[in-house]
Amino acid sequence: MKIVNLTPHCITILRAEKDPLVLDPSGIVPRAEQHRERVGSVDGIPVNRVSYGDPIGLPAPQADTIYIVSALTAKAAKGRNDLYIVDDSVRDENGRIIGCRALAQV
């Protein structure tokens, strides 16, 4: 199975009884289409209502390939069973994410 990282970040998957799997960014970063509507302001700061539409820049499904994407992109791509997000994050003593223990589907 080929795993393609479609996020802008390096992903480290901490696997039980195996070395960590490090996935560098592929250079392709799909996003969910974003719609913004101004609905008011708070103390002079604009307040918008944001909604998300279809994914933009998402590669077509490929045999024996899964893609790791953002949660918003995965939610926007209804019907795709080849999209995963990172799950069960592991943090260091300063609270920074250093890896994950699993993948998930939304």
Side-chain angles (χ1 to χ4, degrees):
M1 181 66 64
K2 181 178 179 182
I3 303 172
V4 180
N5 177 2
L6 298 182
T7 77
H9 313 286
C10 184
I11 295 173
T12 300
I13 302 173
L14 306 170
R15 303 180 294 177
E17 302 177 21
K18 288 186 177 184
D19 290 335
L21 175 61
V22 178
L23 301 167
D24 290 323
S26 66
I28 301 168
V29 183
R31 298 281 184 211
E33 185 177 59
Q34 188 175 41
H35 306 280
R36 186 176 290 117
E37 174 190 2
R38 177 114 185 235
V39 294
S41 65
V42 174
D43 199 24
I45 303 166
V47 175
N48 298 324
R49 176 172 291 119
V50 178
S51 61
Y52 298 94
D54 294 331
I56 300 167
L58 189 61
Q62 298 289 321
D64 299 318
T65 301
I66 65 169
Y67 300 104
I68 300 176
V69 297
S70 71
L72 277 175
T73 301
K75 288 179 184 178
K78 297 169 181 69
R80 293 279 299 257
N81 62 2
D82 59 339
L83 304 181
Y84 292 78
I85 62 171
V86 295
D87 190 38
D88 196 8
S89 296
V90 177
R91 297 177 184 271
D92 67 12
E93 61 278 353
N94 296 314
R96 291 180 294 232
I97 294 176
I98 59 171
C100 67
R101 292 187 189 100
L103 298 176
Q105 289 188 299
V106 296

